[in-house]
């Protein structure tokens, strides 16, 4: 039986590419989504991937949702924490609601999604946890103190959890994408987008499938010695050592 994989925010953008890549690699994939039922159902019809709706910032909803996935598909052996939102604004104008919403979805979800599956992974002696951070969690970004703080927290969470669980056969890794050609980036004004691309040494936006390819590798048996690592995929825009 193929390993069960949960991808949060798995029906759109980078998450959709990850879900598709894992299914093509032979995994049983459950893709979660927050609110857009119409697009999620269209994604399910197109790909045949199982979709589940819940709010990743809600601990009770995550526990219930993951229990449903395991009852219907089997134990979760691979978790991709991809879901994230932005509520940008300069810090001096930012409301606490803007701050809290981004931290809840982007960072609290590391706990709410991972806690319900970690004991099962430990008991079985195998697990793969792959967390999607961001270039802006590494270098910061003006107008994104909330997002940058959350994504930097994802990196710290990854490194600590990796150390706690390595001896149990569980790897925990982090991917920090740069600017990827998704609907969100496509909505950026053309002149701004040109400036962004000018700052990327390879001269183009990344592809969601490039992120998915790394996720598929890290989910595999051959990646057992990769853990606690921060993998940058940004076309050379920001070169970091972790």
């Amino acid at each position: 039986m193929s390993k069960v994989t949960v991808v949060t925010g798995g029906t759109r953008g980078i998450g959709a590419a990850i879900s598709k890549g894992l299914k093509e690699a032979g995994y049983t994939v459950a893709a979660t989504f927050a609110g857009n039922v119409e697009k999620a159902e269209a994604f399910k019809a197109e790909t045949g991937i199982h979709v589940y709706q819940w709010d990743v910032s809600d601990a009770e909803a995550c526990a219930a949702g993951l229990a449903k996935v395991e009852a219907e598909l089997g134990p979760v052996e691979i978790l991709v924490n991809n879901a994230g939102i932005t509520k940008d604004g300069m810090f001096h104008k930012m409301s606490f609601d803007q701050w809290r919403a981004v931290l809840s979805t982007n960072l609290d979800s590391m706990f709410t999604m991972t806690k319900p599956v970690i004991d099962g992974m430990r008991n079985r002696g195998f697990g793969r946890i792959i967390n999607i951070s961001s270039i802006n969690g590494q270098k910061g970004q003006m107008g994104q103190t909330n997002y940058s703080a959350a994504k930097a927290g994802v990196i710290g969470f990854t490194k600590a959890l990796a150390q706690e669980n390595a001896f149990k056969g569980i790897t925990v890794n982090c991917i920090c994408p740069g600017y990827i050609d998704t609907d969100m980036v496509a909505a950026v004004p053309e002149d701004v987008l040109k400036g962004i691309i000018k700052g990327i040494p390879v001269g183009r936006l990344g592809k969601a499938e490039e992120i998915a390819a790394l996720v598929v590798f890290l989910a595999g048996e051959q990646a057992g010695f990769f853990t606690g690592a921060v993998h940058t995929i940004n076309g050379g825009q920001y070169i970091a050592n972790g």
Side-chain angles (χ1 to χ4, degrees):
M1 187 173 69
S2 62
K3 289 182 170 63
V4 175
T5 305
V6 172
V7 182
T8 66
T11 65
R12 300 173 66 185
I14 292 173
I18 292 170
S19 295
K20 291 176 184 177
L22 287 164
K23 185 185 178 186
E24 289 169 4
Y27 296 94
T28 298
V29 180
T32 81
F33 68 100
N36 197 322
V37 175
E38 183 179 350
K39 286 199 174 182
E41 289 299 327
F43 176 79
K44 178 181 179 181
E46 174 199 345
T47 63
I49 291 171
H50 307 274
V51 298
Y52 295 83
Q53 182 179 15
W54 70 76
D55 178 358
V56 295
S57 70
D58 183 329
E60 291 184 2
C62 290
L66 286 163
K68 183 178 181 182
V69 169
E70 294 202 323
E72 294 179 355
L73 305 179
V76 174
E77 296 187 83
I78 298 158
L79 172 64
V80 183
N81 285 312
N82 167 73
I85 63 170
T86 58
K87 289 187 179 292
D88 296 349
M90 300 297 282
F91 182 73
H92 64 281
K93 295 181 178 180
M94 184 177 291
S95 69
F96 184 70
D97 285 345
Q98 286 175 288
W99 173 270
R100 185 69 263 165
V102 171
L103 268 289
S104 293
T105 297
N106 297 15
L107 184 56
D108 288 354
S109 61
M110 297 298 113
F111 183 96
T112 60
M113 285 297 302
T114 308
K115 190 66 162 62
V117 300
I118 194 71
D119 283 344
M121 290 180 177
R122 288 170 63 89
N123 290 337
R124 291 186 297 272
F126 178 87
R128 297 283 186 265
I129 299 169
I130 302 159
N131 303 317
I132 308 300
S133 179
S134 168
I135 184 175
N136 293 339
Q138 296 176 297
K139 72 176 186 59
Q141 177 61 42
M142 184 172 68
Q144 286 194 329
T145 52
N146 49 5
Y147 185 82
S148 296
K151 290 301 189 178
V154 170
I155 295 171
F157 173 84
T158 298
K159 292 181 176 182
L161 192 67
Q163 293 176 59
E164 291 182 11
N165 291 281
F167 77 106
K168 286 290 189 177
I170 301 167
T171 66
V172 189
N173 287 285
C174 183
I175 298 174
C176 292
Y179 286 90
I180 307 300
D181 190 7
T182 61
D183 290 344
M184 183 183 297
V185 173
V188 173
E190 185 177 354
D191 58 332
V192 175
L193 189 57
K194 285 181 179 178
I196 290 171
I197 293 172
K198 188 176 180 180
I200 302 173
V202 301
R204 65 171 175 87
L205 298 173
K207 299 175 182 178
E209 291 76 15
E210 292 173 310
I211 310 300
L214 180 53
V215 171
V216 171
F217 170 74
L218 292 173
E221 296 280 354
Q222 71 273 30
F225 205 59
F226 288 76
T227 196
V230 179
H231 304 270
T232 61
I233 306 182
N234 61 39
Q237 185 178 9
Y238 181 75
I239 298 172
N241 59 3

